[in-house]
Amino acid sequence: MQVGYSEEDEAFRVTLRAWFEAHFPRFKDQWPTAPDPNDLVWRRAWEDHVSQAGWAGLGWPLEYGGKAWPLTRQAIFHEEQARIGAPLGVNIIGHGILAPTLIHFASDAQKKRYLPGILSNREVWCQGYSEPAAGSDLASLKTRAVRQGDHYVLNGHKIWTSFAHIADYCFVLARTDATAARHKGISFLLVDMKSPGVRVEPIRQITGEADFNEVFFENVKVPLDALVGEENGGWRLAMAAASFERGTYFIPRQVRFAQELAALKQLAADTMRQGRSRLDCPHLRRDLARLAVDSHVLKLKSYRALTHALRGGPPGPEGSSTKLHWSESHQKLLAIAVEVLGERARAGPEPDSRDPQASAWVRDYLWSRAETILAGTSEVQRNILAEQVLGLPKN
Ligand SMILES: Cc1cc2nc3c(=O)[nH]c(=O)nc-3n(C[C@H](O)[C@H](O)[C@H](O)COP(=O)(O)OP(=O)(O)OC[C@H]3O[C@@H](n4cnc5c(N)ncnc54)[C@H](O)[C@@H]3O)c2cc1C
């Protein structure tokens, strides 16, 4: 297996790296305080800066203002952005999931209306799929949209909706035919979050942050032209939407994993216990060695997913294997960091604590509990691997 990019791609990387190195440190220095990497205002500001510089719509066709870059170049962009330590954006759902869905399935009028707002980062999107009784089993969703004249009337309760409190719009899966088979009566609607009847209630997380929410729709009027694709054809769109990011999703995450592992080694080297550096502890050295193997394997897996997507193959179980491996290794890495911190972990997760370095590790450790749940839980990924790789019977 050859792992790497072509000479042309590497030359392209040099240009991109020069741009990030010229812009990111300056942008960071001009920020009024030391930026907290998880602060949504900071994340949005950097994302706006990148969009305004023209580095958006990387894979979109030229006709929609995109750059039409091949996946390899998009991957290099994400690698370089992560390498410089830039934060993830807040409109990642708009850029990564909704925009390609619109490009594939929306009407010309919808593309014209919504794509420019995503490209410029002027309009932030959230994803209204999960409900209190519909998560892994999404097709059991109960939110209803009933046609009345020139609009739908939307009623329902979504939960875990990331960024809903700052989003301008939400793409919502709603049942438009209650009599059809579960997957068949669902539609894909674009909902203005400022519509009367939309109520957002933030969910406070164990980290103290509230970056996801409950969203209530109470007799919300949604114009008929906000339906994407066919009425009752939303499941097909939702499944396609889930596959659009698969080539590049893990690229920045594996870069960050390697950076965090290097930071953990440094933390261990700097931490003394009973007069000796923690890095001298054989158990810890064994754990770090295992994480180094995880880091390398994750890199290979993310490149494999990229190669598979480049060849145009249908999404397969490789995504589940990478998701499982990344989320569980990441939890392990952060648990080890908290163990190395020892008493310092009592600083808690808030960035303004008396020990911000310890707090950053604690915050990430606590947040990482979500990683084996979001985008498909570990149990669901294991089911996919059991059925599709091992050929075990369906449960
Ligand atoms: C940080 C974060 C951000 C999120 N952002 C969004 C968002 O923006 N928009 C959105 O719509 N949703 C979002 N979600 C929701 C996410 O998609 C769901 O949490 C996920 O699909 C799991 O659903 P659930 O929480 O209802 O758990 P459930 O599906 O109820 O699962 C409960 C438990 O049962 C297990 N389980 C379920 N089914 C099976 C099975 N068949 N076999 C074995 N075990 C099973 C699960 O693994 C889990 O342990 C987010 C979640 C998190 C954590």
Side-chain angles (χ1 to χ4, degrees), residues 127 129-130 135-136 160 162 212 367 370 373-374 377 379 383 395:
Q127 179 184 31
Y129 285 10
S130 305
S136 306
W160 316 124
S162 306
F212 54 31
W367 209 95
I373 302 172
L374 62 87
T377 67
E379 289 78 8
N383 283 350
N395 66 359

Side-chain angles (χ1 to χ4, degrees), residues 68-196:
W69 284 353
L71 266 177
T72 36
R73 296 204 168 185
Q74 296 174 48
I76 290 172
F77 180 90
H78 293 301
E79 266 179 359
E80 288 304 311
Q81 178 155 246
R83 197 192 68 84
I84 196 93
L88 279 179
V90 298
N91 206 10
I92 37 183
I93 290 172
H95 289 283
I97 301 175
L98 182 68
T101 308
L102 293 177
I103 289 168
H104 276 76
F105 297 104
S107 65
D108 286 343
Q110 287 170 330
K111 288 177 193 165
K112 213 168 152 197
R113 161 64 191 86
Y114 295 109
L115 288 175
I118 301 174
L119 193 68
S120 64
N121 222 33
R122 199 178 58 244
E123 291 172 346
V124 172
W125 285 80
C126 62
Q127 179 184 31
Y129 285 10
S130 305
E131 299 181 4
S136 306
D137 183 19
L138 185 58
S140 62
L141 63 88
K142 293 197 168 54
T143 292
R144 288 292 318 272
V146 178
R147 235 178 214 263
Q148 268 182 24
D150 64 351
H151 60 269
Y152 291 100
V153 178
L154 183 67
N155 277 288
H157 175 188
K158 298 289 178 180
I159 194 164
W160 316 124
T161 322
S162 306
F163 310 114
H165 57 308
I166 56 163
D168 302 288
Y169 290 90
C170 184
F171 52 101
V172 173
L173 289 183
R175 198 161 290 288
T176 35
D177 182 351
T179 61
R182 283 162 21 109
H183 299 84
K184 298 214 166 128
I186 293 172
S187 295
F188 191 103
L189 300 173
L190 307 176
V191 178
D192 184 340
M193 293 295 278
K194 289 183 288 304
S195 312

Side-chain angles (χ1 to χ4, degrees), residues 38-60:
N38 306 304
D39 172 15
L40 296 189
V41 177
W42 157 247
R43 287 171 60 180
R44 171 83 190 260
W46 172 249
E47 192 178 41
D48 284 349
H49 184 78
V50 171
S51 286
Q52 278 149 26
W55 301 111
L58 307 181
W60 303 12

Side-chain angles (χ1 to χ4, degrees), residues 260-274:
E260 286 169 334
L261 179 56
L264 171 57
K265 277 190 215 152
Q266 192 58 54
L267 177 73
D270 295 343
T271 303
M272 304 298 286
R273 193 172 288 172
Q274 293 170 344

